[in-house]
Amino acid sequence: MSTTKPPNVRPADDLGIAEAAGVLAQSGTVAVPTETVYGLAARADSAAAVAAIYRAKGRPDFNPLIVHVLDLAAAEALAVFDARARSLAEAFWPGALTMVLPRRPDAPLAPAVSAGLPTVALRVPAHPVMRAVLAATGLPLAAPSANRSGAVSPTNAAHVASSLGGRVDLILDGGSTRQGLESTIVAVRPEGGWSILRPGPITEAAIAGILGPQSDGVTSGSARIEAPGQLASHYAPGKPVRLDARAAEPGEFLIGFGPVAGAVSLSMHGDLAEAAARLYACLHLAAEAPEPRIAIASIPDDGIGAAINDRLRRAAA
Ligand code: AMP
Ligand code: MG
């Protein structure tokens, strides 16, 4: 594989979207902005296209991908929805919620998309560029975050270009993403019960408001197999990370929050939505800074703070 090829970045306008649809139809890979982070899209019905995603990311093949579709009707062609899954779709789609559901035996999906699991992870995104790409291809698109496996997720096209560069066929530049943290992943189990596999912009409380309290009804051993991608170390900026810092120690690049001022701040006003949107951009800046270590101020665990702290723990692991 050539890694010396320069990145192919295009504005996410009508021309760029048409080019993206052509690349995807040919089983190529395209980085596309969503409301969460940039995704690396490829057609989910093609084994070759799905293999190209795993190859470009250097992703282990036991870690399944999220499949993006335009609407609930398209999602129902791929997975079995019960009343609970439909009510979550009605409440949160389009948006930053991914549901893990039983895969339909006749679903037109390459088996590698869900790494051989009997389930599939589905999302209906809200971002106009991702929706335009889905509409132009008319296909379900697998799209994990557009970064090398285990590295910090991309929230702008330059992050994608520096992580994946010429390993992908096309990068659509649609500016910075608005929410900045990956979707919430919820498993809705056919035998009853549900649980959060990855915290994200849609909080556990918001889901519990619709489904009632979280109850997984499975042993912790099988829960671990169910969330194969939730590795302890992820989002790694390539330097040691110290959490709950009040001030920078020598050799540290401090990422501040609220009253803790740093070289950069997640949010000077202590706003958690702003902190989520800025988290990965700040981690990219810290990774590129001359300081050999990173320190990060403490973040309250309320609302989307729980998802920010989940990512920070993995970045520090
Ligand atoms: P990313 O590709 O970075 O957005 O991560 C996708 C996440 O979705 C990974 O953590 C996967 O483990 C998770 N995922 C995808 N499909 C499934 C599935 N069928 N069951 C459980 N988790 C899944
Ligand atoms: Mg990822």
Side-chain angles (χ1 to χ4, degrees):
M1 171 190 25
S2 160
T3 52
T4 50
K5 223 170 56 169
N8 178 21
V9 185
R10 292 283 143 85
D13 53 13
D14 290 353
L15 258 180
I17 285 160
E19 183 178 340
V23 169
L24 291 166
Q26 302 292 316
S27 295
T29 53
V30 181
V32 184
T34 80
E35 67 273 32
T36 58
V37 302
Y38 273 65
L40 181 59
R43 53 190 298 170
D45 63 343
S46 153
V50 169
I53 291 181
Y54 282 96
R55 199 162 56 237
K57 285 183 59 87
R59 183 174 177 120
D61 63 6
F62 58 79
N63 188 355
L65 309 177
I66 294 173
V67 176
H68 294 65
V69 291
L70 258 189
D71 53 27
L72 175 58
E76 292 207 42
L78 305 178
V80 181
F81 280 68
D82 63 12
R84 297 168 305 154
R86 274 197 204 99
S87 57
L88 287 184
E90 273 154 28
F92 300 114
W93 281 355
L97 182 74
T98 296
M99 274 192 260
V100 171
L101 297 169
R103 175 181 166 136
R104 272 190 190 285
D106 58 344
L109 294 172
V113 162
S114 45
L117 294 169
T119 52
V120 61
L122 292 176
R123 169 166 167 223
V124 173
H127 194 287
V129 172
M130 184 54 148
R131 295 190 63 78
V133 170
L134 283 165
T137 59
L139 293 166
L141 297 176
S145 55
N147 52 274
R148 292 285 288 171
S149 182
V152 177
S153 300
T155 55
N156 63 40
H159 296 156
V160 180
S162 72
S163 186
L164 295 177
R167 289 187 178 92
V168 301
D169 296 316
L170 175 63
I171 299 169
L172 283 184
D173 185 351
S176 290
T177 64
R178 198 163 42 80
Q179 296 186 337
L181 282 189
E182 296 84 352
S183 60
T184 304
I185 304 181
V186 59
V188 182
R189 299 206 179 73
E191 68 275 19
W194 63 277
S195 56
I196 303 255
L197 303 183
R198 175 173 75 187
I202 300 200
T203 60
E204 181 184 332
I207 295 171
I210 292 186
L211 297 188
Q214 181 164 200
S215 69
D216 63 13
V218 293
T219 68
S220 53
S222 56
R224 200 164 62 239
I225 292 160
E226 193 175 24
Q230 302 306 300
L231 305 176
S233 172
H234 206 110
Y235 317 104
K239 295 177 180 178
V241 175
R242 181 169 71 89
L243 302 180
D244 299 322
R246 287 164 198 265
E249 287 172 5
E252 284 182 343
F253 180 96
L254 177 63
I255 299 177
F257 178 79
V260 177
V264 294
S265 176
L266 291 172
S267 169
M268 303 221 286
H269 308 293
D271 179 274
L272 287 171
E274 183 184 19
R278 288 177 46 76
L279 175 65
Y280 292 134
C282 288
L283 283 174
H284 282 284
L285 286 174
E288 286 150 20
E291 290 83 353
R293 290 184 304 282
I294 302 171
I296 307 181
S298 101
I299 307 293
D301 222 32
D302 322 322
I304 198 173
I308 297 174
N309 283 323
D310 167 74
R311 306 305 191 275
L312 288 178
R313 277 192 297 276
R314 293 175 207 275

